[in-house]
Amino acid sequence: MKLNIAVLPGDGIGPEVTAQAVKVLKAVAMEFDHLFTFQYGLIGASAIEKHNTPLPEETLSICKNADAILFGAIGTTAYDIDPNAKMRPEQGLLQLRKALDLYANIRPVVAYEELLNKSSLKKNKVKDTNLIIYRELTGGIYFGEKKLSEDGNEASDSCTYTRKEIERITHPAFKAAQARSKKVTLVDKANVLESSRLWRRVVQEIAPQYPDVTLNYMFIDNAANELIINPKQFDVILTENMFGDILSEEAGVIVGSIGLLASASLGDKHAMFEPVHGSYSPATNKGIANPIASILSAAMMLDHLGLDEEATRVRDGVGKSLKLHITTPDLNTKYDNISTTKVGDFIEDFINNPDETNLNFTNIHLGQSTII
Ligand code: IPM
Ligand code: MG
């Protein structure tokens, strides 16, 4: 298969984790006889620096012409602490999501058996967690009208949703539930917000089209609590843009590290794959950023393109790296010298030699003769 992949490394740890995912995709292409070409584009702070805009035309056009987009992360500490910045790196990502109409952000949260003791939560609470968040990505408070009064003393962001925006994310969420445990939890704040009441109305109208799926409801404050107390109760969480942002980051606690969570942002014409974590600027170029979220985002890309065997190989490589403790320090208590690149090397190696990897890797990278 010939594929043209746009790569937007972005800011902070984005470039280093994305480089590992690209390495893995190249190994997949070699092993399974595909031709993947990669076109790089600037976005975020690095784009502002060079082109004075967070989303240059050239980047948008690379993305529009690609079969899929791999995105890294966006934002820097300098912008984070400056509320007066006229331009913000994050605008690049938001404009891109909007321009490509990537309305469905899909964020799976699966607890790895090997990492149960890495979670801040009790093992028995975390074990067998397998949920997926369907986050609406191009509407709500992120994209509503923003106002700042002239004297700078009053500001507002409005949260608007249309029936159509709710409908088009609700259908894929229910379809996903049909293929899973057949349960959708709509998370909103319908006791307070008019926009949430519209969500309830529209979702209630659509639900009967999926009679095998059970629909239940949770207010966001309660959901934030339940996600930690009993994550196993969830199958598909359907929610609006900002609630989905917050809940998906919270879910990092369940699996042991936010550095494991991948996502797909899908529209009708375009598809982008991005880690749930952000740019985490303080860790830039220290070799400690976990590349697994980016690598698993690449696996979601392969799924999306119908390359199932390839996606499985990547996931098996990730599974093996976790099992053998070939992980960055956020997860590792066994070895202290495993860098972002080494994790990428291991998974790359696994893709080309799924049966021989352990020993090779052990000898070459850890300087030990056996592992486990
Ligand atoms: C995410 C990120 C983005 C968001 C930021 C970087 C704009 O937090 O993808 O979760 O809020 O959507
Ligand atoms: Mg976020």
Side-chain angles (χ1 to χ4, degrees), residues 339-354:
S339 65
T340 309
T341 313
K342 282 185 180 174
V343 174
D345 288 346
F346 176 84
I347 297 169
E348 175 193 35
D349 209 14
F350 178 91
I351 286 164
N352 298 126
N353 312 287

Side-chain angles (χ1 to χ4, degrees), residues 163-228:
R163 164 176 286 276
K164 190 174 154 249
E165 285 173 324
I166 300 167
E167 283 170 358
R168 65 182 186 168
I169 174 94
T170 299
H171 285 287
F174 273 80
K175 283 185 185 138
Q178 281 185 318
R180 298 171 45 97
S181 301
K182 301 185 170 44
K183 184 173 167 186
V184 169
T185 304
L186 173 63
V187 173
D188 61 22
K189 189 74 185 173
N191 50 345
V192 177
L193 303 176
E194 200 55 57
S195 54
S196 285
R197 289 191 279 272
L198 181 63
W199 270 84
R200 282 216 180 186
R201 228 172 281 132
V202 173
V203 173
Q204 271 169 14
E205 282 168 24
I206 290 174
Q209 296 175 35
Y210 303 88
D212 51 336
V213 176
T214 309
L215 169 66
N216 63 358
Y217 311 93
M218 227 177 244
F219 296 138
I220 177 64
D221 45 351
N222 183 222
N225 186 274
E226 288 291 328
L227 191 61
I228 295 301

